[in-house]
């Protein structure tokens, strides 16, 4: 197992953190595309589209070509969905990490360092949901380099967030993760998180059969939320 340490973010980590985050999000685009292709809604829609084009044009080859164009366009939409999310994050809280997480109240940002390089990251901040403010903190921006997955880095980063929230008297930690991030879901569930909701983040997300899962971990010593 590789040696690493968890420490607070420093300004010199800026480029490495932003690159790690972008790569971590974009690598899930193929999984999102496969999920769309495997959904019953997508398969039925493609079949109906093929039959309609075949009937209108009179050639099955044209029908297959039309379906291929739809599949290519769908991949571009999935990729655009991911890149838009990355751009939004890099232009907001990850644009000024120190101000967003180290100077803001009840917030922090940690990195995992190995061999002098940043190989993991996680942040914590008050949640956007007004109903959770003052009750819980939100785990955000979790990402670990591919070469260091399965070595306890994610678990250690998650533990920092849980300890941080507990030390400040909060009763829970909440987070959101996508339906295609199966390994992340297993990690969070192993740390005591429970799925408490799901939603599509946009109309495009609904069309792509894509959902975001909400998780919550009630901390020991506090009454669980109803």
């Amino acid at each position: 197992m590789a040696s690493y340490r968890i420490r607070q973010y420093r300004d010199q980590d800026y480029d490495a953190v932003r690159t790690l985050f972008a790569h971590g999000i974009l690598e899930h685009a193929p999984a999102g595309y496969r999920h769309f292709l495997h959904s019953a809604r997508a398969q039925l829609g493609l079949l109906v589209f093929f039959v309609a084009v075949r009937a209108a044009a009179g050639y099955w080859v044209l029908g297959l070509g039309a379906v291929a164009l739809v599949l290519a366009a769908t991949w571009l939409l999935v990729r655009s969905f991911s890149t838009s999310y990355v751009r939004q994050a890099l232009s907001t809280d990850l644009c000024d990490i120190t101000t967003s997480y180290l100077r803001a109240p009840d917030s922090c940002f940690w990195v995992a360092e190995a061999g002098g390089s940043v190989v993991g990251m996680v942040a914590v901040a008050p949640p956007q949901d007004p109903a959770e403010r003052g009750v819980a903190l939100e785990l955000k921006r979790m990402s670990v380099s591919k070469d260091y997955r399965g070595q306890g880095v994610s678990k250690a980063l998650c533990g920092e967030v849980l300890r941080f929230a507990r030390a400040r008297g909060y009763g829970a930690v909440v987070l959101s993760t996508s339906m295609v991030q199966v390994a992340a879901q297993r990690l969070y569930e192993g740390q005591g998180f429970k799925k408490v909701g799901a939603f599509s983040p946009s109309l495009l997300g609904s069309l792509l059969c894509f959902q975001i899962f909400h998780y919550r971990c009630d901390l020991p010593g506090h009454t669980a939320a109803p």
Side-chain angles (χ1 to χ4, degrees), residues 1-6 112-117 119-120 144-154 156:
M1 180 178 293
S3 175
Y4 63 87
R5 69 185 182 109
I6 308 298
E113 182 182 54
S117 300
V119 299
V144 173
S145 172
K146 281 185 177 181
D147 294 338
Y148 285 83
R149 292 174 190 169
Q151 301 183 42
V153 178
S154 297

Side-chain angles (χ1 to χ4, degrees), residues 81-95:
F81 189 79
S82 298
T83 55
S84 294
Y85 178 75
V86 169
R87 283 196 299 269
Q88 186 271 338
L90 295 182
S91 64
T92 52
D93 59 300
L94 294 183
C95 180

Side-chain angles (χ1 to χ4, degrees), residues 149-196:
R149 292 174 190 169
Q151 301 183 42
V153 178
S154 297
K155 183 177 179 180
L157 289 167
C158 186
E160 289 290 341
V161 172
L162 296 176
R163 284 190 290 273
F164 182 90
R166 190 180 296 114
R168 281 155 181 76
Y170 283 90
V173 172
V174 296
L175 63 86
S176 299
T177 190
S178 75
M179 63 189 305
V180 299
Q181 293 175 271
V182 178
Q185 294 167 34
R186 287 198 295 264
L187 164 72
Y188 297 135
E189 290 166 2
Q191 295 300 298
F193 285 85
K194 296 180 180 179
K195 187 166 68 173
V196 294

Side-chain angles (χ1 to χ4, degrees), residues 6-223:
I6 308 298
R7 61 168 174 79
Q8 197 173 96
Y9 168 86
R10 301 170 185 162
D11 288 340
Q12 56 264 40
D13 302 324
Y14 184 76
D15 290 336
V17 161
R18 285 163 58 89
T19 299
L20 179 62
F21 172 78
H23 288 172
I25 295 298
L26 294 178
E27 74 178 51
H28 294 296
Y33 184 59
R34 289 192 298 271
H35 171 77
F36 169 78
L37 295 180
H38 291 159
S39 69
R41 183 193 305 175
Q43 292 175 1
L44 178 60
L46 290 171
L47 177 60
V48 170
F49 182 69
F50 169 77
V51 171
V53 174
R54 168 69 175 81
Y59 297 98
W60 65 268
V61 174
L62 291 179
L64 289 178
V67 169
L69 288 175
V70 169
L71 291 175
T74 301
W75 164 246
L76 293 177
L77 284 174
V78 171
R79 179 74 178 182
S80 173
F81 189 79
S82 298
T83 55
S84 294
Y85 178 75
V86 169
R87 283 196 299 269
Q88 186 271 338
L90 295 182
S91 64
T92 52
D93 59 300
L94 294 183
C95 180
D96 188 346
I97 299 169
T98 298
T99 298
S100 298
Y101 293 107
L102 300 186
R103 294 176 183 165
D106 291 334
S107 303
C108 197
F109 199 107
W110 298 270
V111 300
E113 182 182 54
S117 300
V118 172
V119 299
M121 56 183 276
V122 74
V124 65
Q128 294 183 348
D129 183 356
E132 294 284 12
R133 284 185 173 266
V135 177
L137 290 180
E138 182 176 2
L139 183 153
K140 305 178 66 176
R141 308 311 188 202
M142 170 78 84
S143 187
V144 173
S145 172
K146 281 185 177 181
D147 294 338
Y148 285 83
R149 292 174 190 169
Q151 301 183 42
V153 178
S154 297
K155 183 177 179 180
L157 289 167
C158 186
E160 289 290 341
V161 172
L162 296 176
R163 284 190 290 273
F164 182 90
R166 190 180 296 114
R168 281 155 181 76
Y170 283 90
V173 172
V174 296
L175 63 86
S176 299
T177 190
S178 75
M179 63 189 305
V180 299
Q181 293 175 271
V182 178
Q185 294 167 34
R186 287 198 295 264
L187 164 72
Y188 297 135
E189 290 166 2
Q191 295 300 298
F193 285 85
K194 296 180 180 179
K195 187 166 68 173
V196 294
F199 74 102
S200 291
S202 64
L203 176 59
L204 177 58
S206 297
L207 293 174
L208 295 174
C209 307
F210 183 85
Q211 286 190 316
I212 298 295
F213 293 160
H214 281 316
Y215 278 84
R216 180 186 180 93
C217 177
D218 290 297
L219 300 175
H222 293 81
T223 303

